[in-house]
Amino acid sequence: MIECDIAIVGTGLAGMRAGVEIAEKSRKVSVALISKTYPIRCHSVCAEGGSAAVLREGDSFELHEWDTVKGSDFLADQDVVEFFVRECPKEIIRLENWGCPWSRTADGKIAQRAFGGQSFPRTVFAADRTGFHEVHTLYERLLSYENVEFFNEFFLTNLAIADGRIQGISAIDLKNGDLEFFKAKAVILATGGAGRLYGFTTYSHQVTGDGIAIAYRCGIPLKDMEFMQFHPTGLIPSGILMTEACRGEGGYLRNRLGERFMQKYAPEKMELAPRDVVARAMWKEIIEGRGFESEHGPYIALDLTHLGEEKIEERLPMIREAAIKFAGVDPVEEPIPVKPVQHYTMGGIHTNMFTETPVKGLFAVGECACISIHGANRLGSNSTVECLVFGRVAGERALKFAENAKEPEIPKNFIKEEESRIYDKIGKGDENPHAIKKRLNEVMDTHLWIFRTGEGLKEALREIRELKRRYERVVISDSSRKFNVALLSTLEVGYLLDLAEVVAMGALLRTESRGAHYRLDYPARDDEHWLKHTLAYYTGKEPRFEYLPVTITKWKPVERKY
Amino acid sequence: MRILGWFKYRSPFGMTFMFQRITGLILLFYLCLHLAYLTSLQEKELYEFFTSITVSKQFFIFDSLLILCGVFHGLNGLRIIIHELGFAHEHRRVVLIITGLLAVVAWLYGSYIMFLAIGD
Amino acid sequence: MKFKIKRFNEKNGSYWQTFEVPVRTAMTVLDGLFYIRENLDNSLAFRASCRMGICGSCAVKINGKPRLACETQLSKFKEVKIEPLDNFAVIKDLVTEFEGFFAKHKKVKPYLINPKISYENPVEQIQTPKQLKAYYDFTLCIKCGACYSVCPAGATLESYLGPAALASAYRFNADSRDHGKEERLKIVSQPNGVWRCHSAMECSEVCPKQIEPAKAIQLLRRATLR
């Protein structure tokens, strides 16, 4: 049993930012940072393009708010967005103060560039490695505090909840295979999205939605899970992200005929329309036969050749490196082969605007949470800064809660039940968990992709339930304790299956098209019936759905055109 | 046996690192021999016996190898000093090649002089 | 293609195992490892995360040289021989103990030290592109451990801070916003610090991000002498 005041699960941007906030405010409170990998191996390092913040003359909080709300297809909670945009600049400057190597203008100020759906180029960046530098800056900052301890390679298995509040968590210490229990007054979940539901995805291998699924099984509702973002430009065949900054810096998208086809779909914003719009346009071009052909399937060309080597080397060095290493294409000379790719989980654990979940003392933040500033479609460069802003809020709230909380107590039967669940109950059958995951990926890539239909969603749901039945007979063939990857991946597949069901059912029930959720059989937005958040509750059988009104303060929904 | 870490070849630079150690040890060994040799000057017969073995065409190959060790160790040492002063890290391949060429030239020239000195 | 993998677990000790992996175009060593885990032997332990060369998880020895498995194309080779990194203790198969490596990184105070900054009211500091360029390349370290695994000085002295940590120290010392240079120089000039380096240059040679840790170490030496 490990005792701490606050346990933070997940050490990406959000988790580490929460850790910094707590350590800055109190040197007495003990903080445990628990993560499945080493902190700087988190998926946040893959963020490339930048972080949005209002810093300069000509831009305003209202503009950032409006862009975010319009981008979200009016599903974002506007009071939260209002708070969010006002906090962004401070977070960018704080990171600067802690050593983040932001790219600079000639006179030494923090530079900004254009991103999709913005009315002002407000994306702060560090070349095309923004997430990488943000993560390293926060990690290094955390090394300077004495009351912060890292627990690396601990895999979260469950939350101990009793008397309506959090008491602690359980996690497998991967290095020796033992189940560890952390007693904590407050717990912050910052475990990331659920990207590996899909096969063609920009996500790191370890992003399997563990935190979301565990919270869901503990009875906490999941919000808006049917909204999955598809990024327009994923490198083929691997799905590696080619940042939106490629287009922000002036790159073009072309079809096989050489046309900049975005003219047809978003005549004003062109390539810099929000991601859902561009991804749909690209997919339509591909379906209608205007994509390029290759052995890895059809693709669209991302043309940077007119930018010149100097600009590409300065602003997009990693994109160039990745295109050469993984596709054998040098963007200075040739267009990059790309197609839309699954990229972000807009939904997540239901929280209020203070990152509080319905369980006292349990907070959720970052991609695993749905605080709802992204609504139905996130704008590029809003997610990294969301992690910073609300990571701080989560830290602040958790600290306040922990300072006034009673001593937690992990129930004895929780420990016993958890041990038998992990070591005795799972894995006595004959099904290969990887085969189940592969099939799940195929189902998601087919039926829950950019264009959805009622028929397809029903088929997907049937398949997912079949896979859940197969999962009950799963086998773990490795019985050793140390670094048991077979056990790890089997548990992950279980989490993914639960989430897949929520995503598919949510999408089937939402009979409209909004943001990233596009139904061919209901192609219009339906504000009368569907201007509301989806909440999914775990019941043991199929999820139960409730709906929650959207908070609208300043901006009434209007037609969304770019 | 952590010292085995010295002898794992990976790049030309790792290789020169390894040869620097080996030639250093050889030169140290030679120094000991040399001192023993000099001690023999006290007795004329012993000295003449030693020279009759070592100053000969059959023994020339060892002399030549010794020159190689000395030349390599010295020039490579100079190369390392350049880098250790913080210079020319980006051009380390070129520096290495030049060092190598210089070493070969110096070695051949030294061996030639030595060969002439031996006589018959 | 044949994958020859050096495996290790507590029960069976260390042994070599060969797998036959079907190859398609643009496939990487990491794809091959996942193929094995998913289809042939799901106990095969290796670390991997981002699969785009930025997280630093998957450094292993491939045909004798430490590389990131995710960015090593299979088309380069006829067969591959994969081993865990040298100079790290093996936990299982290709997974090695990194706690010590990260502890060394922590030792050099790898964070910006500036007593003037305020947490509550942060103020933007000016840094010109030239000042940024002075240290930027050294910020790119992904802590994959490749440099440490080939370092002969690290092989003979376990407590040697090693290339990654020292490069990190230099990164902050070269930052125009930093005020902690003296503290850091005191740390790196100890017997297990910069003077342990023997300029074998292996670190700079294997670095997948083309950072020059060897150069950083020599520049730190210069600074300590001043």
Side-chain angles (χ1 to χ4, degrees), chain C residues 7-15:
Chain C
R7 306 199 55 178
F8 171 84
N9 60 47
E10 282 197 319
K11 214 164 104 199
N12 305 322
S14 177
Y15 61 99

Side-chain angles (χ1 to χ4, degrees), chain A residues 466-522:
Chain A
E466 170 63 28
L467 289 171
K468 282 184 94 164
R469 273 192 292 279
R470 276 174 65 188
Y471 182 76
E472 284 165 16
R473 302 190 311 271
V474 80
V475 60
I476 301 172
S477 48
D478 185 6
S479 60
S480 68
R481 279 286 182 107
K482 281 193 172 181
F483 229 93
N484 189 333
V485 286
L487 172 65
L488 184 73
S489 40
T490 306
L491 290 171
E492 287 174 347
V493 174
Y495 297 147
L496 287 176
L497 286 169
D498 277 2
L499 295 181
E501 192 182 16
V502 175
V503 175
M505 262 190 93
L508 181 63
L509 291 174
R510 190 173 275 275
T511 49
E512 65 154 353
S513 291
R514 183 185 295 273
H517 171 69
Y518 193 90
R519 290 274 301 256
L520 287 172
D521 41 357
Y522 297 93

Side-chain angles (χ1 to χ4, degrees), chain B residues 7-89:
Chain B
F7 300 102
K8 280 185 182 145
Y9 161 72
R10 286 164 200 106
S11 75
F13 300 93
M15 191 122 100
T16 55
F17 171 84
M18 178 176 83
F19 281 130
Q20 189 74 359
R21 312 285 116 173
I22 294 171
T23 53
L25 290 173
I26 291 173
L27 289 173
L28 182 68
F29 178 66
Y30 168 74
L31 183 70
C32 297
L33 275 188
H34 186 64
L35 290 174
Y37 208 112
L38 291 180
T39 326
S40 73
L41 276 171
Q42 289 170 344
E43 281 177 60
K44 190 164 183 271
E45 276 144 48
L46 192 61
Y47 178 73
E48 275 170 1
F49 172 66
F50 272 157
T51 34
S52 72
I53 302 172
T54 54
V55 185
S56 69
K57 286 231 160 100
Q58 291 82 357
F59 208 79
F60 172 68
I61 178 88
F62 292 106
D63 289 324
S64 177
L65 283 177
L66 182 67
I67 293 169
L68 179 62
C69 287
V71 163
F72 172 84
H73 197 84
L75 285 173
N76 192 45
L78 287 174
R79 179 186 72 88
I80 292 170
I81 288 171
I82 293 175
H83 293 317
E84 294 210 339
L85 291 172
F87 299 117
H89 274 262

Side-chain angles (χ1 to χ4, degrees), chain A residues 392-407:
Chain A
R392 187 191 70 70
V393 174
E396 190 182 28
R397 294 277 158 168
L399 179 64
K400 214 177 257 170
F401 183 88
E403 279 176 339
N404 301 313
K406 273 194 293 188
E407 200 50 36

Side-chain angles (χ1 to χ4, degrees), chain C residues 25-40:
Chain C
T25 51
M27 191 164 161
T28 63
V29 172
L30 185 63
D31 294 334
L33 288 173
F34 270 110
Y35 178 87
I36 295 170
R37 186 192 280 175
E38 284 163 14
N39 299 287
L40 306 175

Side-chain angles (χ1 to χ4, degrees), chain A residues 58-131:
Chain A
D59 199 3
S60 72
F61 292 136
E62 275 67 34
L63 272 181
H64 192 183
E65 261 174 65
W66 165 243
D67 290 343
T68 306
V69 169
K70 187 182 174 196
S72 78
D73 221 346
F74 299 92
L75 195 68
D77 285 334
Q78 296 179 10
D79 51 342
V80 191
V81 175
E82 196 177 331
F83 170 78
F84 161 72
V85 299
R86 279 163 181 76
E87 289 288 308
C88 296
K90 241 188 205 175
E91 290 302 323
I92 298 297
I93 310 283
R94 279 191 182 120
L95 276 186
E96 195 278 338
N97 284 184
W98 299 335
C100 188
W102 295 124
S103 292
R104 303 283 177 155
T105 59
D107 56 354
K109 286 188 183 153
I110 295 171
Q112 289 178 299
R113 68 173 158 215
F115 243 64
Q118 293 179 345
S119 348
F120 184 89
R122 72 169 71 88
T123 296
V124 173
F125 61 102
D128 55 356
R129 307 181 182 95
T130 307

